[in-house]
Each structure stands twice: as C-alpha cells, then as structure tokens.
Amino acid sequence: MNFKLLAVSALIAAGTSTAQAGQFYIDNGVNFAPDTAPPTKVNATSTSLKDEMTVKYQSSTDIFFSNPAAGIQVGDSIITSGGLAVGTLPFNSITSLNPGETLGGTGFADNGFGDDWILSFSFTNLAGTVNGFAGTFPTLNYTSGTIEMLYSLDGTTFNNFMDLEVTSSALTGGANLELRGLVDFTNVDAGFEDLFRLADGTSFYDAWQQVPPLEIVFIVDQNTNPALATVTPFGDDGNGNPEGITITSNHDGSVTFQAVPEPSTVALLGLGLLGFGAKLRKKAA
C-alpha cells in the first residue's frame, strides 16, 4: 500500500484510540509568584504547562456481604469515601504539579502552588463491587461516584471548582487500579470553574459547555499497599456473622487529563481523511 495511505489509516486509528495524557495549566487569575528563568508560565497569572498532578489520600471502604456466613465474595457491593471526607489536609491533597518548579525559581512555574494556594479533593459515594483478590486482599471495581476537586487560598475555606465523575476502573497490578471518567461542572461553586485549561487556552469549563461538548477524560492512577490497610468488621446478621467490613487505606498516585472529541467529530474526521486518501491514491494511479 502507498505510504501516504498508510499514514491516513494511522491518523484515523489514532482518532478512535484510547485517550492519552494531554497537557494543561492552571490560571489562578493572580500573579502569586515570579516566573521561572527561563520563563515557562503560559501567562502572568498561570502555571506552566503540566502533564499530571500527584496525589496522596486516605480512604474508607465499606464492603457489604451478600452472604454473611460466607464472608467476602466476588460481587459484594462497595462504597468508598476518601480525601477530606475522611481525613485532614496533610494526608489528603494534590502534592505536586509535574513538571514542577524547583528551588531557586528554575524548572517549570507553579505560580505559588503549595505556598499561596492548594488543591485537595473529597468523595463519599464511589460505588462498585469486589471483583477479585490480590492474595487475600479484595480488589475493587468502581462504576460510579463523584470526586469533588477543591481549591483553597488558606487551607481552611475550600471551593469546589470541578467534579470528576467516575464511570469505570481497571486493575493495574495487585490492589492498584485506575479510576476513569469525565470532568463535570454541574454542581460546582460559581466563579471557580475556569481554573484548569487545556494547552490551547480553552478552559475545561468552556470545553464542557460546548455543543456538542469537548469531553475531558481523567485517569486517577491509584496505588494501594494492602500491608498498611486496616480491616474492621461491622454489623451482625443475627447468627454471629458480620454484615460486612470496613477497609481503611492510604494511597498515592497521579491524575492526568485528555480532551476527547465527540464520536461524531471523530467520524467526520475519519471520512475526511479517507476522502483525502482516495484522492492521493487516484493521483498516484
């Protein structure tokens, strides 16, 4: 096949493949700190372009036994709370923006992140089921829930600037998993929606408002150490069996984002590229 036609096919495949991490930046609307040397800020009131955020947090997961006499089983339902809903800020926050700023004002500008403003999160309703075991530790599959992303200037007052709506998860090894879903602004605090922006300057909020929307996909890559988790039974089925267990854990990980066109947009792009490829083939003949 002609090389140009191969390139066209590759572009179509890329348009329909799983989203990969894209760059973003945060525009606070305030110049909290000088730019790096050499300059890396996107504008005077923003950070530099970032690839990911790193996180640390605590969680509490209730597992409800479908058969208390049998104990925990695949298919048992779960509800997980985490972040500031279960712990304090020192243990539940965004810990870095990567690539980040280094001491002496070099690296990639953070515009005062960590000193003048902070990011955290909270959730109470991540729902799903037990889908297996890593040794004796249950592995989990999430299908719904909302992670409220929070912005603060003082570590006391927090504003909900964006929600992460969980739609699925996937195990990545042992008890570690990825949470996946879409950003949403339906119930956030007014005046804080435009903090996060795509590399081209479009705010996540404006992308969400487009018709059709430019969907922003997120992936939370979560690491769990079962050896550090605690397990506590709760309830009684009347026969001396607990009705479930609560697992409390500490986690670290990262968050990435990627803008994904609507399927109709990808389809139109594919048709256009196919037409372009046909013209190339006709010309070559």
Side-chain angles (χ1 to χ4, degrees):
M1 182 182 287
N2 185 290
F3 173 76
K4 292 182 179 178
L5 291 179
L6 281 171
V8 169
S9 299
L11 282 170
I12 295 171
T16 57
S17 64
T18 302
Q20 301 299 313
Q23 289 190 308
F24 64 94
Y25 66 96
I26 302 169
D27 192 339
N28 308 80
V30 178
N31 186 357
F32 284 113
D35 205 344
T36 52
T40 57
K41 282 188 175 184
V42 177
N43 61 59
T45 62
S46 78
T47 67
S48 68
L49 290 174
K50 305 298 183 182
D51 297 323
E52 67 173 9
M53 306 185 297
T54 60
V55 303
K56 64 178 178 181
Y57 71 98
Q58 299 165 313
S59 72
S60 176
T61 298
D62 289 334
I63 301 178
F64 301 91
F65 295 164
S66 56
N67 181 356
I72 187 170
Q73 294 179 302
V74 171
D76 287 349
S77 61
I78 60 173
I79 293 289
T80 299
S81 301
L84 294 183
V86 301
T88 57
L89 186 62
F91 304 98
N92 298 275
S93 67
I94 303 298
T95 53
S96 69
L97 308 173
N98 293 333
E101 191 168 343
T102 56
L103 293 176
T106 59
F108 296 85
D110 287 342
N111 192 33
F113 169 72
D115 295 321
D116 299 293
W117 55 279
I118 54 179
L119 299 174
S120 189
F121 46 89
S122 178
F123 54 93
T124 59
N125 64 345
L126 296 192
T129 57
V130 175
N131 67 348
F133 297 89
T136 59
F137 193 81
T139 58
L140 310 177
N141 176 54
Y142 291 98
T143 55
S144 66
T146 302
I147 302 172
E148 296 183 346
M149 299 301 299
L150 305 172
Y151 175 80
S152 179
L153 296 174
D154 58 12
T156 301
T157 301
F158 290 88
N159 291 100
N160 176 204
F161 67 89
M162 179 171 66
D163 288 338
L164 307 182
E165 294 293 338
V166 175
T167 58
S168 65
S169 67
L171 293 173
T172 58
N176 302 330
L177 58 79
E178 290 182 346
L179 294 172
R180 300 170 179 172
L182 300 172
V183 304
D184 185 85
F185 294 89
T186 303
N187 298 307
V188 302
D189 294 336
F192 293 87
E193 309 98 327
D194 290 325
L195 279 170
F196 275 59
R197 295 178 176 268
L198 300 171
D200 67 2
T202 304
S203 72
F204 285 18
Y205 177 65
D206 286 343
W208 176 77
Q209 281 195 310
Q210 290 179 17
V211 180
L214 177 62
E215 294 183 334
I216 310 294
V217 174
F218 71 85
I219 295 178
V220 179
D221 188 353
Q222 168 191 290
N223 301 313
T224 302
N225 185 346
L228 300 179
T230 61
V231 179
T232 306
F234 65 80
D236 190 310
D237 69 346
N239 296 308
N241 302 308
E243 295 177 305
I245 57 174
T246 299
I247 300 177
T248 56
S249 307
N250 290 351
H251 313 272
D252 59 26
S254 62
V255 184
T256 56
F257 300 97
Q258 176 65 46
V260 180
E262 282 287 290
S264 58
T265 303
V266 174
L268 287 172
L269 174 64
L271 288 172
L273 290 174
L274 283 171
F276 177 64
K279 285 185 178 180
L280 289 175
R281 184 168 55 186
K282 183 175 180 181
K283 185 176 180 180

